[in-house]
Structures are given as structure tokens and as C-alpha cells.
Amino acid sequence: RARFFSGGASSSAVSSTLSGLQLFWGNLGLGYGKWRFKYKDTSYSMDLESNLIDFLYRYELPIEKKSSDMGGDSYDLTLGLGIVTSGSGTLIRDGVEYSGSSVSGYQISSFFTQQRGFWEVFLGLSFQGKYYYDLRSEGSELIHDRRVNWVNFLLGLGLYY
């Protein structure tokens, strides 16, 4: 079973995207995700990104099919915990650019999936908690840290084999 997903959330000052791949063996899965986050207001701007490894568990829901069903062969709920493996961040404040690649964090995700034949369609939510630290500039002695918590809405397509 393989799944591809993409999604995001945005407002006037913020945009965030998350995309990735999930592979399953039975009910257990492993995934890779790439997260991008941009923020801009009058005082500063940030451009952050990170790569994640997801550990996933898929539970097939015991739903009895009825004639009024949407027509899926099965439904499942997937829960995941992701760990940041790498990333980078750039902060621009008062015309000075601070950057670095020290990042830690996690991702908690959930997906509701409907399987039809060998195709899967799913919706999901992903909560990101990231900490970018040791952002430095050559032109300043200051060191900046940024903590970001964010939710992404996800849509995906999977292949059941």
C-alpha cells in the first residue's frame, strides 16, 4: 500500500505546505514528509522548512456496508507520529538575515481513508511542532530562535497493491 499526499493552510501573513509519501506493510507504515512554512509581517519574515520521518499505524474500521453507502470497499483510520530529521530556517529582521540548520520537532497526523478497488482517497490533519534554533548572521552578534506550531489540512491518493 502506498499513499501520496499534499496539503496546507494559509492566511494573509502565513502560508504552509506539507507533502509526502507513505508505505505500509499490513497495518504498520513508514512515511516521509516535507514541510514548508513562510511568514511575513511589517517587523520580520521567516522561511522555514523541515524533513520528517513518520511512523504510522493503520486501523481498518469495522463498518457494516449498507445500500446507502458511498460505495467504498473499506474504510480506515491512520495515526502517525513524525520526527524531524533535518531542516533549515531563515529569519529577516531589521534588514539583517539570520539563518541556520538547527531544528527539532514533531508531527502528529491522522487520516481517514476510503478504499475503492486498488485506489484510496483520504483526508487528513497534521499538527506540526517545530523549534528552529541558533539562527545566526555574519553581520550581527545576535542569535535568534523560533518556535512554530501549526495545523495543515491534507488530501491524498493511495494505491492498494
Side-chain angles (χ1 to χ4, degrees):
R1 195 178 291 250
R3 296 175 177 170
F4 301 94
F5 64 90
S6 183
S10 64
S11 69
S12 60
V14 177
S15 73
S16 172
T17 59
L18 176 65
S19 57
L21 166 70
Q22 299 173 341
L23 299 173
F24 288 88
W25 299 270
N27 290 341
L28 299 178
L30 194 61
Y32 167 80
K34 185 161 189 75
W35 183 71
R36 300 249 358 208
F37 183 87
K38 293 184 180 203
Y39 175 83
K40 185 172 185 172
D41 71 6
T42 56
S43 61
Y44 70 97
S45 66
M46 291 188 300
D47 189 356
L48 310 172
E49 67 177 47
S50 63
N51 299 305
L52 302 117
I53 295 293
D54 284 316
F55 301 96
L56 304 154
Y57 179 76
R58 187 183 72 80
Y59 174 71
E60 191 164 326
L61 298 171
I63 296 176
E64 193 173 311
K65 297 183 181 130
K66 297 183 171 74
S67 59
S68 61
D69 235 349
M70 291 188 334
D73 294 336
S74 70
Y75 302 89
D76 69 58
L77 180 64
T78 301
L79 301 173
L81 175 62
I83 298 169
V84 172
T85 58
S86 64
S88 63
T90 301
L91 168 72
I92 300 174
R93 184 180 200 120
D94 300 325
V96 179
E97 182 176 305
Y98 303 86
S99 60
S101 59
S102 298
V103 60
S104 64
Y106 63 92
Q107 167 182 286
I108 298 171
S109 55
S110 64
F111 299 94
F112 176 75
T113 307
Q114 179 186 32
Q115 178 190 342
R116 186 169 193 123
F118 59 88
W119 293 102
E120 292 182 318
V121 178
F122 59 95
L123 299 169
L125 280 176
S126 174
F127 176 79
Q128 311 283 326
K130 308 286 173 53
Y131 180 55
Y132 291 81
Y133 55 96
D134 205 23
L135 300 174
R136 298 175 180 259
S137 173
E138 292 180 16
S140 174
E141 298 277 325
L142 295 174
I143 299 171
H144 286 277
D145 297 341
R146 285 294 179 265
R147 186 173 303 278
V148 178
N149 295 309
W150 194 255
V151 174
N152 282 322
F153 298 96
L154 304 169
L155 294 173
L157 186 62
L159 186 61
Y160 177 75
Y161 54 91

